[in-house]
Amino acid sequence: MITRRGFMKLFGGSFASFAALGSYGFAVEPLARLNVARYRLTPPGWTPGLKLRIVALADLHACEPWMPASRIVSICERANALKADVTVLLGDYASGMNLVTRYVHSSEWSKALATLEAPLGVHAVMGNHDWWEDRAAQQNGGGETFGHRALAGAGIEVHSNRAVRLEKDGFGFWLAGLEDQLALRPGKIWSRRRMTGLDDLDGTLRQVTDDAPVILLAHEPDIFATVPSRVSLTLSGHTHGGQVRFVGHSPVVPSRFGNRYAYGHIVEEDRNLIVSGGLGCSIAPIRFGVPPEIVVVDLG
């Protein structure tokens, strides 16, 4: 039988372990770590000879002290050093938390993102929090958010159900960006089923006018279930890898598919999806088992 002294030692050791894990989850992994997640693949139907490097940043959630403008600048410096052909931003620039000391204004985070460089440009889509934090856009039921305007003002192309054709070494490819799938909230009712998306996958893909490969940018990965094989690769964020992850599994994932599209490289029926673990935090400033990351994808 365990003695009182033994119980107190066990309790003290357990408490210290939980305190250490909590400190790591709140102070170390969200703030002090930055990984580079690398993927290399040649999707079905990819143009022979086309070698393309994509660097992707997702889910910054700009706020202090967790993601100040100075940290965004340092992330952009690290991204530039990875020598992308094209850099993409996958949405959620606005904070999604109340536990902040200051919200970083769109003029600040967009100025920081303006330091990104890539020969084929920097291209962006919006995320759900970029819509939810803009009361005017919610009342209007669409149009542009302050995030759209801030990025465009910083010289970054924003894709709202739009496809553009780019070229690398004489080989063409399409970059298609969807508007957010959870853009409009129904008043004060928090129900995913009631949210209205402004995405138009079919209309976006109709803008593709040749057989060059298509890369799709979509903030939420749930759209992947209906993405046709015509799309070579879908890039998403939103889930943060669950933000807390144990042995490849996240207890809570903001997706109706649970862990199916939570994180990493997913292949279904020869279709490819890569979901970034993101950079910032949403709801609560904690990360455990899924540190902030920049994604690098080498195609071909």
Side-chain angles (χ1 to χ4, degrees):
M1 183 175 71
I2 189 168
T3 65
R4 182 176 183 275
R5 182 186 295 271
F7 172 78
M8 293 305 292
K9 288 177 68 176
L10 178 62
F11 176 80
S14 300
F15 179 81
S17 298
F18 280 113
L21 288 174
S23 297
Y24 175 82
F26 278 97
V28 178
E29 191 161 300
L31 288 169
R33 294 189 61 186
L34 179 61
N35 286 1
V36 176
R38 297 179 181 271
Y39 302 91
R40 183 180 295 275
L41 62 149
T42 303
W46 188 257
T47 304
L50 173 57
K51 295 187 179 298
L52 186 71
R53 170 166 287 189
I54 304 170
V55 168
L57 307 180
D59 303 289
L60 284 159
H61 292 289
C63 64
E64 295 182 359
W66 315 106
M67 187 63 71
S70 59
R71 187 179 178 199
I72 298 174
V73 169
S74 68
I75 290 170
C76 292
E77 290 173 351
R78 182 81 176 274
N80 287 339
L82 294 168
K83 303 299 182 184
D85 295 308
V86 59
T87 296
V88 299
L89 304 174
L90 298 175
D92 272 5
Y93 316 97
S95 176
M97 290 190 296
N98 293 322
L99 297 173
V100 304
T101 58
R102 189 177 80 89
Y103 293 103
V104 176
H105 193 269
S106 59
S107 62
E108 298 174 72
W109 56 252
S110 61
K111 182 179 179 181
L113 290 172
T115 62
L116 289 167
E117 299 175 347
L120 298 179
V122 181
H123 303 259
V125 293
M126 308 309 292
N128 56 301
H129 284 285
D130 304 313
W131 281 94
W132 294 355
E133 300 300 322
D134 191 321
R135 293 182 181 179
Q138 290 293 309
Q139 291 174 355
N140 294 334
E144 288 187 337
T145 66
F146 57 73
H148 287 88
R149 294 188 291 272
L151 288 170
I156 296 172
E157 284 199 61
V158 183
H159 299 264
S160 179
N161 299 323
R162 187 170 72 100
V164 295
R165 193 180 192 278
L166 304 173
E167 285 194 3
K168 162 85 185 295
D169 298 330
F171 298 104
F173 67 95
W174 290 85
L175 200 62
L178 291 186
E179 195 47 86
D180 191 69
Q181 301 158 56
L182 302 172
L184 303 179
R185 292 169 55 184
K188 297 181 180 180
I189 301 174
W190 276 83
S191 170
R192 180 173 300 274
R193 294 180 180 178
R194 289 174 168 266
M195 292 180 190
T196 301
L198 297 175
D199 55 300
D200 182 1
L201 178 61
D202 292 340
T204 303
L205 294 182
R206 279 197 296 270
Q207 299 169 39
V208 175
T209 57
D210 61 24
D211 60 358
V214 178
I215 298 162
L216 179 68
L217 312 180
H219 178 66
E220 294 91 358
D222 286 15
I223 192 72
F224 184 66
T226 58
V227 169
S229 58
R230 174 69 181 86
V231 174
S232 298
L233 172 65
T234 301
L235 293 172
S236 296
H238 181 65
T239 63
H240 303 201
Q243 211 161 287
V244 174
R245 196 165 180 83
F246 301 97
V247 198
H249 181 86
S250 300
V252 178
V253 180
S255 165
R256 67 179 185 272
F257 295 103
N259 272 268
R260 179 177 169 185
Y261 301 143
Y263 176 71
H265 183 195
I266 298 103
V267 180
E268 291 185 353
E269 299 175 351
D270 289 330
R271 300 173 305 124
N272 287 270
L273 166 69
I274 292 175
V275 182
S276 169
L279 290 155
C281 296
S282 178
I283 309 301
I286 184 171
R287 277 181 174 265
F288 190 91
V290 54
E293 68 178 25
I294 298 170
V295 170
V296 180
V297 184
D298 287 302
L299 293 166

